[in-house]
Amino acid sequence: QVQLVESGGDLVQPGGSLRLSCAASGSILSINTMGWYRQAPGKQRELVAHITSGGSTHYADSVKGRFTISRHNAGNTVELQMNSLKPEDTAVYYCKAYVLTAGWGPSDYWGQGTQVTVSS
Protein backbone atom coordinates (compact mmCIF):
# COMPACT_ATOMS: atom_id res chain seq x y z
CA GLN A 1 0.00 0.00 0.00
CA VAL A 2 0.92 3.65 -0.25
CA GLN A 3 0.83 6.35 2.40
CA LEU A 4 0.90 10.09 1.81
CA VAL A 5 1.74 12.31 4.77
CA GLU A 6 1.31 16.08 4.58
CA SER A 7 2.84 18.68 6.84
CA GLY A 8 3.22 22.45 7.05
CA GLY A 9 -0.31 23.67 7.61
CA ASP A 10 -0.68 26.51 10.08
CA LEU A 11 -2.41 29.75 10.99
CA VAL A 12 -0.93 32.69 9.07
CA GLN A 13 -1.83 36.34 8.59
CA PRO A 14 -3.00 37.67 5.21
CA GLY A 15 -0.02 38.35 2.99
CA GLY A 16 2.05 35.70 4.72
CA SER A 17 3.64 32.53 3.40
CA LEU A 18 3.54 28.82 4.12
CA ARG A 19 5.26 25.80 2.65
CA LEU A 20 3.41 22.49 2.54
CA SER A 21 5.17 19.18 2.11
CA CYS A 22 3.92 15.72 1.21
CA ALA A 23 5.92 12.52 1.37
CA ALA A 24 4.82 9.27 -0.27
CA SER A 25 5.97 5.91 1.03
CA GLY A 26 5.15 2.24 0.59
CA SER A 27 5.34 -0.23 -2.27
CA ILE A 28 5.99 2.42 -4.90
CA LEU A 29 7.37 1.58 -8.31
CA SER A 30 6.81 5.01 -9.79
CA ILE A 31 4.72 8.14 -9.33
CA ASN A 32 3.29 9.99 -12.27
CA THR A 33 1.39 13.10 -11.26
CA MET A 34 1.48 14.58 -7.77
CA GLY A 35 -0.76 17.41 -6.76
CA TRP A 36 -2.42 19.52 -4.12
CA TYR A 37 -6.14 19.97 -3.66
CA ARG A 38 -8.06 21.97 -1.10
CA GLN A 39 -11.48 21.94 0.45
CA ALA A 40 -12.98 24.89 2.27
CA PRO A 41 -15.98 24.50 4.60
CA GLY A 42 -19.16 24.04 2.60
CA LYS A 43 -17.32 23.83 -0.71
CA GLN A 44 -16.22 21.06 -3.03
CA ARG A 45 -12.64 19.88 -3.13
CA GLU A 46 -10.75 21.70 -5.85
CA LEU A 47 -7.43 21.36 -7.63
CA VAL A 48 -4.77 23.82 -6.51
CA ALA A 49 -1.80 22.63 -8.55
CA HIS A 50 -0.25 19.48 -9.93
CA ILE A 51 3.10 18.44 -11.36
CA THR A 52 4.06 15.51 -13.56
CA SER A 53 7.12 13.33 -13.18
CA GLY A 54 8.64 15.34 -16.02
CA GLY A 55 8.12 18.60 -14.21
CA SER A 56 5.15 20.00 -16.13
CA THR A 57 2.92 22.07 -13.86
CA HIS A 58 -0.65 23.28 -13.81
CA TYR A 59 -2.20 25.81 -11.46
CA ALA A 60 -5.70 26.92 -10.64
CA ASP A 61 -6.29 30.47 -11.83
CA SER A 62 -6.90 31.61 -8.25
CA VAL A 63 -3.34 30.75 -7.17
CA LYS A 64 -1.29 31.53 -10.29
CA GLY A 65 1.61 33.83 -9.48
CA ARG A 66 1.32 33.17 -5.75
CA PHE A 67 1.81 29.42 -5.33
CA THR A 68 4.63 27.24 -6.64
CA ILE A 69 4.59 23.45 -6.77
CA SER A 70 7.78 21.40 -6.87
CA ARG A 71 8.75 17.77 -6.42
CA HIS A 72 11.74 15.64 -5.61
CA ASN A 73 11.35 12.39 -7.49
CA ALA A 74 14.10 10.57 -5.63
CA GLY A 75 12.34 11.22 -2.35
CA ASN A 76 8.78 10.88 -3.66
CA THR A 77 7.94 14.26 -2.20
CA VAL A 78 5.99 17.24 -3.42
CA GLU A 79 5.90 20.72 -1.94
CA LEU A 80 3.67 23.73 -2.31
CA GLN A 81 5.13 27.16 -1.61
CA MET A 82 2.29 29.55 -0.88
CA ASN A 83 2.95 33.29 -0.88
CA SER A 84 0.71 36.33 -0.56
CA LEU A 85 -1.88 34.24 1.21
CA LYS A 86 -5.46 35.46 1.32
CA PRO A 87 -8.33 34.59 3.68
CA GLU A 88 -9.99 32.76 0.79
CA ASP A 89 -7.04 30.35 0.73
CA THR A 90 -8.26 28.97 4.06
CA ALA A 91 -8.98 25.27 3.61
CA VAL A 92 -7.81 21.77 4.31
CA TYR A 93 -5.09 21.01 1.80
CA TYR A 94 -4.74 17.45 0.50
CA CYS A 95 -1.91 15.80 -1.34
CA LYS A 96 -2.71 13.35 -4.14
CA ALA A 97 -0.43 11.06 -6.10
CA TYR A 98 -1.01 8.75 -9.07
CA VAL A 99 1.09 5.77 -8.10
CA LEU A 100 2.16 2.53 -9.74
CA THR A 101 2.69 -0.05 -7.03
CA ALA A 102 4.18 -3.51 -6.97
CA GLY A 103 1.38 -6.03 -7.46
CA TRP A 104 -1.38 -3.47 -8.07
CA GLY A 105 -2.40 -1.34 -10.99
CA PRO A 106 -1.85 2.43 -10.99
CA SER A 107 -4.17 4.30 -8.70
CA ASP A 108 -4.78 7.62 -6.98
CA TYR A 109 -3.79 7.93 -3.34
CA TRP A 110 -4.71 10.75 -0.96
CA GLY A 111 -3.19 12.13 2.18
CA GLN A 112 -5.11 12.95 5.35
CA GLY A 113 -4.98 16.70 4.81
CA THR A 114 -3.39 19.64 6.58
CA GLN A 115 -5.25 22.75 7.75
CA VAL A 116 -4.27 26.15 6.38
CA THR A 117 -5.96 29.13 8.01
CA VAL A 118 -5.36 32.67 6.78
CA SER A 119 -6.67 35.20 9.26
CA SER A 120 -5.65 38.32 11.12
Side-chain angles (χ1 to χ4, degrees):
Q1 284 293 349
V2 175
Q3 298 80 39
L4 300 180
V5 178
E6 303 107 330
S7 61
D10 205 344
L11 169 64
V12 63
Q13 292 187 343
S17 298
L18 280 177
R19 189 174 186 88
L20 306 183
S21 295
C22 172
S25 62
S27 302
I28 299 170
L29 292 180
S30 64
I31 302 179
N32 188 346
T33 301
M34 300 186 80
W36 289 94
Y37 289 70
R38 66 185 181 188
Q39 188 166 19
K43 294 187 176 181
Q44 290 188 332
R45 191 172 297 189
E46 63 177 2
L47 171 69
V48 177
H50 66 66
I51 184 169
T52 68
S53 57
S56 297
T57 59
H58 172 80
Y59 295 91
D61 287 343
S62 59
V63 306
K64 281 181 182 176
R66 300 188 297 123
F67 292 9
T68 303
I69 190 170
S70 60
R71 67 185 282 177
H72 304 282
N73 291 332
N76 290 331
T77 60
V78 63
E79 296 181 329
L80 185 69
Q81 177 66 42
M82 306 186 294
N83 298 328
S84 303
L85 283 161
K86 305 175 181 180
E88 50 263 44
D89 294 318
T90 296
V92 178
Y93 283 69
Y94 297 90
C95 175
K96 189 180 87 166
Y98 189 64
V99 182
L100 177 64
T101 59
W104 300 84
S107 183
D108 281 328
Y109 291 87
W110 290 87
Q112 298 276 52
T114 185
Q115 177 70 48
V116 172
T117 302
V118 185
S119 175
S120 55

